[in-house]
Amino acid sequence: MTLSSSGPPSTRPHSPGAHPRVLGRYSSGRPGPTVVCIGALHGNEPAGLSAISRVLARLQDGGVPLRGELIGVAGNRRALIEERRFVDRDLNRRWSPDNIARIAAGTIETSEDQETRELLAVFLPLLRRGPVHFIDLHSTSGLSTPFSCMADVLRNRPLALALPIPVVLGLEEVIEGSMLGYLCDLGHVGVAIEGGQHSDPRTVDFHESALLLMLVAAGSLEARHVPDLAAHRARLAAVNSGMPAVCEIRHRHVIKAEDEPFVMLPGFVNFQIVERGQVVADDRRGSVRVPETGLMMLPRYQGQGDDGYFIARPVSRTALRVSAALRTLRLDVLVPWLPGVSRHPERADHYVADPAVARVAVEQVFHLFGYRHVRADAERLVFSRRRPAARPVLPAELQRLREGDETVEG
Ligand SMILES: [Zn+2]
């Protein structure tokens, strides 16, 4: 079966204007996973909203016997109206326990604080219920084929690896305070999809296909309930030839206020190979050169945000299998015996690596064991253990949210 290329208006991303916070909920009453799909966490990325609406309409119209519940949620509603990435600050940053505690306590400083508070109000009853699968739909300013992003915990892998598109690991390690990073640290599942360029009508199609495939991978849908499933897989696979299956972020170019104007040279696309020393952008100080050979990711072709570009490199399937085995066998108990590695004096589940001793591949070794590099310490390399699969707990900062705060209109 092939998918009809759906013409306007269904391919056109949602027109700007007021969007309800909850786009829709669907359940057939059968027990199963809770899946929350978020679109437009960045206000200039409305394609995800259209894809969510399409999938919800398909389930409702067909009376599909979904297991569990699918909840569609709009991200930055105020920025959506203005068709901007954000109003005051990036909504996909500063999801740190401290910041969430402040917002939950009612101290609202920015438009995005208010958005965060309203999102938490939708999430809170679901987080109380048990593990939640969060799927976060984004698009890019530069030309791109679809790919997914996730923190490399084993529970995230079935969803991301179900898609015939590249998986990018470690973005949450270099971007402080992403929403999925926070929710994943609480023990939930979180996968982000970059569906393509903001204004490309195919981006909605790719998001739709990715969401349907992930609903099957999550156990919400059975394959027989999605008769065109093979066509959705083929739609994604068709644009994915020659891409690495999995890669990890190695470098983030941070744009400081004094670097502006930062201007990417034209023509860079995701997964394009760039060489060490190659000039990729200009800023106030002159030419911006790539620090290591790798794959260009998320070049900034719009004016907002402090991420200039990222450099990734491929990870082998073997490395993924090895790391799954290591973690399943709980061989991470060996971590403190690695040369140059010691327990963090104050923080549980954190280790400190002496770069002078443990220099060889120390980051890769920690990644294999399910640890991530935390940038808390300038001198030493500090790694923290990502929360493995377990019953998620409601953290103290969310317990402070009052019941009344959970009601938001729309
Ligand atoms: Zn985005």
Side-chain angles (χ1 to χ4, degrees):
M1 191 185 293
T2 52
L3 297 169
S4 62
S5 105
S6 28
S10 59
T11 51
R12 203 180 301 141
H14 266 291
S15 54
H19 290 269
R21 174 69 65 196
V22 176
L23 298 166
R25 310 174 78 116
Y26 182 78
S27 165
S28 69
R30 302 173 78 194
T34 301
V35 179
V36 174
C37 191
I38 302 115
L41 201 57
H42 293 128
N44 58 340
E45 304 176 12
L49 300 178
S50 301
I52 294 166
S53 299
R54 262 196 216 170
V55 170
L56 283 167
R58 172 198 183 108
L59 297 173
Q60 269 144 13
D61 295 349
V64 179
L66 180 101
R67 293 179 196 271
E69 189 177 16
L70 171 65
I71 300 124
V73 176
N76 198 331
R77 295 169 71 211
R78 290 160 186 85
L80 263 166
I81 293 169
E82 299 182 19
E83 295 182 76
R84 298 169 62 188
R85 184 175 170 90
F86 54 80
V87 175
D88 296 321
R89 64 165 180 86
D90 196 324
L91 180 55
N92 202 23
R93 303 290 185 275
R94 298 177 70 190
W95 285 73
S96 62
D98 286 352
N99 213 35
I100 295 298
R102 171 181 64 76
I103 291 168
T107 310
I108 304 296
E109 293 168 356
T110 63
S111 175
E112 277 69 23
D113 286 352
Q114 182 60 30
E115 297 282 341
T116 304
R117 189 172 169 83
E118 292 175 15
L119 285 170
L120 287 171
V122 176
F123 296 165
L124 193 60
L126 307 173
L127 298 176
R128 287 207 173 111
R129 217 150 81 176
V132 179
H133 292 63
F134 288 96
I135 296 171
D136 185 17
L137 304 180
H138 288 257
S139 53
T140 50
S141 59
L143 262 185
S144 180
T145 52
F147 61 94
S148 69
C149 303
M150 65 169 203
D152 188 22
V153 285
L154 296 183
R155 66 179 171 278
N156 285 346
R157 288 186 181 184
L159 253 61
L161 293 174
L163 305 176
I165 57 176
V167 182
V168 177
L169 307 176
L171 257 183
E172 96 294 347
E173 222 169 329
V174 292
I175 293 177
E176 293 282 326
S178 73
M179 182 188 72
L180 285 187
Y182 175 77
L183 295 166
C184 196
D185 278 351
L186 300 184
H188 301 279
V189 170
V191 175
I193 303 295
E194 294 283 358
Q197 198 173 30
H198 300 329
S199 54
D200 186 342
R202 293 181 307 165
T203 301
V204 179
D205 297 340
F206 293 143
H207 276 320
E208 176 194 23
S209 296
L211 179 51
L212 286 168
L213 288 166
M214 286 192 284
L215 286 172
V216 173
S220 308
L221 290 173
E222 292 168 44
R224 67 194 169 96
H225 294 133
V226 191
D228 54 353
L229 191 66
H232 283 287
R233 186 184 305 281
R235 176 148 82 182
L236 290 171
V239 290
N240 186 35
S241 61
M243 299 285 176
V246 183
C247 53
E248 66 177 354
I249 296 292
R250 298 273 304 160
H251 170 74
R252 170 190 178 215
H253 179 82
V254 182
I255 304 171
K256 299 194 188 80
E258 61 266 30
D259 297 340
E260 296 281 10
F262 170 93
V263 181
M264 281 302 296
L265 300 190
F268 285 106
V269 294
N270 285 322
F271 302 102
Q272 178 177 341
I273 295 172
V274 288
E275 306 279 342
R276 184 187 163 157
Q278 185 177 341
V279 176
V280 294
D282 285 308
D283 66 15
R284 180 166 291 200
R285 290 181 293 182
S287 296
V288 178
R289 290 172 191 278
V290 173
E292 65 179 284
T293 296
L295 307 172
M296 170 62 72
M297 296 300 303
L298 297 169
R300 193 190 83 171
Y301 285 116
Q302 44 85 37
Q304 282 188 306
D306 56 2
D307 305 322
Y309 65 88
F310 299 85
I311 298 296
R313 71 156 180 213
V315 176
S316 73
R317 289 262 178 189
T318 311
L320 282 188
R321 278 195 291 271
V322 167
S323 63
L326 289 172
R327 294 181 212 173
T328 307
L329 295 169
R330 292 302 315 271
L331 288 180
D332 57 335
V333 295
L334 299 175
V335 163
W337 278 276
L338 291 170
V341 171
S342 55
R343 283 186 190 281
H344 195 285
E346 290 113 40
R347 303 174 71 179
D349 260 352
H350 282 59
Y351 291 94
V352 181
D354 177 350
V357 182
R359 195 166 53 203
V360 182
V362 65
E363 191 144 344
Q364 289 91 310
V365 170
F366 270 101
H367 282 168
L368 283 176
F369 282 107
Y371 283 73
R372 82 174 133 212
H373 187 186
V374 285
R375 257 142 248 274
D377 200 312
E379 306 274 299
R380 303 167 301 176
L381 291 164
V382 177
F383 294 86
S384 74
R385 182 146 178 262
R386 294 192 179 98
R387 184 185 292 272
R391 276 196 67 76
V393 288
L394 203 65
E397 69 267 15
L398 289 183
Q399 286 168 11
R400 267 177 244 154
L401 267 182
R402 294 183 305 270
E403 290 293 321
D405 297 335
E406 292 176 24
T407 353
V408 276
E409 86 266 34

